[in-house]
Amino acid sequence: MTETETIAYDVVVLGAGPVGENVADRTRAAGLTTAVVESELVGGECSYWACMPSKALLRPVIAQADARRLPGLRQAVQGPLDADAILAHRNYFTSDWKDDGQVGWLDGIGADIYRGHGRLTGPRTVAVGDKVLTARHAVAVCTGTRAVLPDLPGLAEVGPWTSREATSAQSVPGRLVVVGGGVVATEMATAWQALGSQVTLLVRGKGLLNRMEPFAGELVAEALTAAGADVRTGTSVKSVTRTDGTVVVVTDTGDRIEADEILFATGRAPRTDDLGLDTVGLEPGSWLPVDDSLRVTGSEWLYAVGDVNRRALLTHQGKYQARIAGAAIAARASGATDLDAGPWGAHAATADHAAVPQVVFTDPEAAAVGLSLAEAEQAGHRVRAVDVDLSSVAGAGLYGEGYKGRARMVVDLEEEILRGVTFVGPGVGELIHSATVAVVGQVPIARLWHAVPSYPTISEVWLRLLEAFRDN
C-alpha cells in the first residue's frame, strides 16, 4: 500500500493552462509557495487545441486573401495553399503537443508541478495521486471548459470533431460540415475551406457571431459564401450517422448532406464535474460564481479563475483575471483587509463587465470591445450608435482593392464616453486595442479629437467616427 504524503503550500492551483500559469506567476512573485496540478499538457487548451493552432492555421489564409486584394501581387498567389506546409507550421506552434518548454517556464518561477488529476477533498485540501496538497491561503480552480456535444442518438459512434480535432487534424477532409455560428465555427469554416475542404456551415440561429453587432456576422457570412462555403442559417441537425466512412447529416428541413467529417462548435461546459466540489458544498459540474476579486461566492479561500467562472470565455480575459486574482490572494495572505476592489481597482476584474475585447480571425476580421448597441440599451444607458463605412478611409483603400468593412462606436450621450466599439474588415484586429484603451480609460469624446490618427492608416476611421458623431 502506498503511503499518502501531505505537503503544505501557500497556494494550490488546479489547472496549468494560461490562467493557472498566470495565477502561479503572480503568487510566486509575491513570495508565496505555489503548487500547480495538471492532468494533461502544461499550457492548456489555448496552447495546443485553441488559440495557437487555430491562428497558425488561419494566418496563411488571411495573408493570401490580403495579397489577392493587391494589383501586382494578386496573380502570384492565385494557386491553392500548401496545406501540408501549413499543417506542419501549425504543429510547430503547438510544439508537436509536447509541453517541455511550458514546464521549464513553471520551474523557472519556482512553482512545483504535480502531474495527475487534482481533486478537492475538503477545505483548502487537494488530492493528486498519492499526495495531499494543503493550501494555507488559497486554492484556485483554473480548469477551463470542454466542448459540449448535442444529445443526438448514435453521435459517439460517428466520431465527431470538436474544437480539439478541428485544430489538430493532420489532413484536410474533402467535405466538412460545421455546426454552429460562433467564433470556433466561423474561424474553422474559414480555415478549412481555404485549405481545400468543401465546407457546409449549419447555423441554428438567424446569423453568425450573434454576440457581436449584427453587421459583423452578416459580413463574415457574405465572405464565407464568396469563398465557396455553403452557409445555411435557421438550420438544425436532426440526425447524424456514419456509413463506410461517410458522415450523413439530416437537417430539420429534411436536407441530406454527406461529408467526410463533422465539427460541432455548439457551446462549452465547465470542467468541474470531477473536482470534488461536493466536499466543499458546491455542485459538481457547475459554473463557479465569483466576486470581482475572483473569489468564489461564500468562500474565504476558494478562487475560480478564467473560463470556469463564465464571466468571459477568452484566454486574454482569463489571464487578466489571473493577474487580479493573484494580486488579491497575495494581499489577503499579507493580512490586508481593505483591498482595492472598487471599479478599475488593482483587485477588481472590472473589465469583465465593461470592456471585454475580442477578435474573430475570419476574413474579414471582426473585433469588438465593450457593449454592443443592444447591450448598452439593455443596461439602461442613453446611447447612440455611430457607423462608418471603412472603405471611406484612405488607409483601407491602400490595404487592398475592394476593401469592405464597417465600424461602429456606441456613445453614452450623458457621460460623452464610449461604451463599445466594433470593427469589421481586413486587418482590423490590430485596431481593437486603441478602442479598448478608450473604453477602459473612459476617454471623453472631446479628448478623443486630440488623439490624431496617422495618415494614411485604417486607424483614421477614428476621425471619421468622431466626425459622424458631431454631424448627426
Side-chain angles (χ1 to χ4, degrees):
M1 180 180 292
T2 303
E3 185 176 347
T4 301
E5 180 183 4
T6 301
I7 309 169
Y9 289 91
D10 292 322
V11 180
V12 176
V13 179
L14 287 171
V19 176
E21 289 176 325
N22 274 268
V23 171
D25 183 46
R26 293 297 83 212
T27 57
R28 284 297 301 129
L32 301 177
T33 58
T34 303
V36 181
V37 182
E38 177 54 58
S39 61
E40 292 189 289
L41 296 175
V42 172
E45 202 81 8
C46 173
S47 297
Y48 305 103
W49 301 288
C51 314
M52 296 308 292
S54 66
K55 304 316 171 276
L57 290 174
L58 285 159
R59 178 60 195 140
V61 174
I62 303 305
Q64 184 187 52
D66 285 342
R68 286 177 172 174
R69 295 183 177 101
L70 292 170
L73 184 55
R74 182 179 298 123
Q75 294 305 315
V77 292
Q78 283 305 310
L81 291 167
D82 185 338
D84 289 341
I86 291 171
L87 295 177
H89 185 60
R90 182 273 322 271
N91 293 351
Y92 167 78
F93 269 93
T94 63
S95 302
D96 290 308
W97 291 272
K98 297 181 177 67
D99 63 2
D100 300 19
Q102 307 247 29
V103 170
W105 182 85
L106 273 180
D107 284 338
I109 66 170
D112 291 344
I113 305 169
Y114 291 84
R115 297 280 196 176
H117 181 70
R119 205 171 182 280
L120 290 162
T121 57
R124 304 174 190 264
T125 306
V126 173
V128 52
D130 59 357
K131 294 179 173 57
V132 174
L133 312 178
T134 61
R136 299 182 188 93
H137 299 295
V139 174
V141 178
C142 309
T143 50
T145 60
R146 56 177 174 79
V148 173
L149 290 170
D151 185 18
L152 289 171
L155 184 59
E157 288 72 34
V158 172
W161 280 10
T162 67
S163 53
R164 284 199 168 195
E165 290 77 19
T167 55
S168 63
Q170 297 297 320
S171 60
V172 179
R175 300 160 299 173
L176 175 66
V177 170
V178 179
V179 183
V183 177
V184 172
T186 54
E187 288 190 346
M188 290 298 92
T190 299
W192 289 107
Q193 177 71 34
L195 289 171
S197 292
Q198 175 54 57
V199 170
T200 302
L201 183 61
L202 305 179
V203 187
R204 184 172 57 184
K206 295 180 179 179
L208 308 181
L209 303 176
N210 61 12
R211 294 180 182 273
M212 288 186 164
E213 299 284 9
F215 63 81
E218 292 166 6
L219 288 170
V220 170
E222 183 181 313
L224 278 169
T225 301
D230 181 2
V231 180
R232 306 186 191 186
T233 57
T235 304
S236 296
V237 175
K238 184 176 180 180
S239 69
V240 183
T241 56
R242 189 188 289 268
T243 304
D244 297 328
T246 298
V247 174
V248 178
V249 181
V250 178
T251 71
D252 58 346
T253 58
D255 291 335
R256 185 178 185 275
I257 306 165
E258 292 189 354
D260 299 290
E261 301 292 350
I262 182 168
L263 161 63
F264 282 94
T266 49
R268 309 287 297 181
R271 291 181 181 272
T272 60
D273 49 320
D274 190 23
L275 291 183
L277 293 181
D278 53 313
T279 69
V280 294
L282 297 171
E283 183 68 28
S286 64
W287 301 95
L288 297 177
V290 295
D291 63 20
D292 272 1
S293 72
L294 292 311
R295 189 164 60 175
V296 173
T297 304
S299 177
E300 295 294 317
W301 57 272
L302 186 64
Y303 292 72
V305 193
D307 287 5
V308 76
N309 61 38
R310 209 181 192 178
R311 286 165 68 104
L313 277 66
L314 296 159
T315 294
H316 50 269
Q317 212 66 21
K319 292 164 71 173
Y320 160 73
Q321 292 178 13
R323 296 189 292 271
I324 299 292
I329 291 168
R332 289 175 174 135
S334 71
T337 57
D338 186 19
L339 270 62
D340 183 10
W344 309 112
H347 306 123
T350 311
D352 288 349
H353 310 298
V356 174
Q358 181 174 20
V359 178
V360 185
F361 291 85
T362 45
D363 177 36
E365 292 177 346
V369 64
L371 305 179
S372 67
L373 175 61
E375 289 169 338
E377 290 175 338
Q378 289 165 8
H381 301 297
R382 190 166 70 89
V383 295
R384 177 156 66 90
V386 180
D387 290 4
V388 167
D389 182 345
L390 267 169
S391 68
S392 67
V393 178
L398 290 168
Y399 193 93
E401 287 186 338
Y403 189 103
K404 190 171 185 178
R406 188 171 168 186
R408 168 175 287 181
M409 66 180 188
V410 178
V411 181
D412 188 310
L413 297 174
E414 294 179 354
E415 298 190 35
E416 295 195 342
I417 59 174
L418 303 184
R419 291 293 177 184
V421 181
T422 299
F423 301 117
V424 183
V428 300
E430 296 299 338
L431 289 180
I432 202 60
H433 191 62
S434 60
T436 303
V437 171
V439 173
V440 170
Q442 298 180 334
V443 181
I445 290 288
R447 180 60 63 88
L448 282 175
W449 280 98
H450 297 281
V452 182
S454 298
Y455 181 86
T457 66
I458 300 176
S459 64
E460 200 179 15
V461 69
W462 280 107
L463 180 56
R464 301 285 90 84
L465 286 164
L466 291 171
E467 290 170 341
F469 177 66
R470 177 198 62 194
D471 296 340
N472 294 288

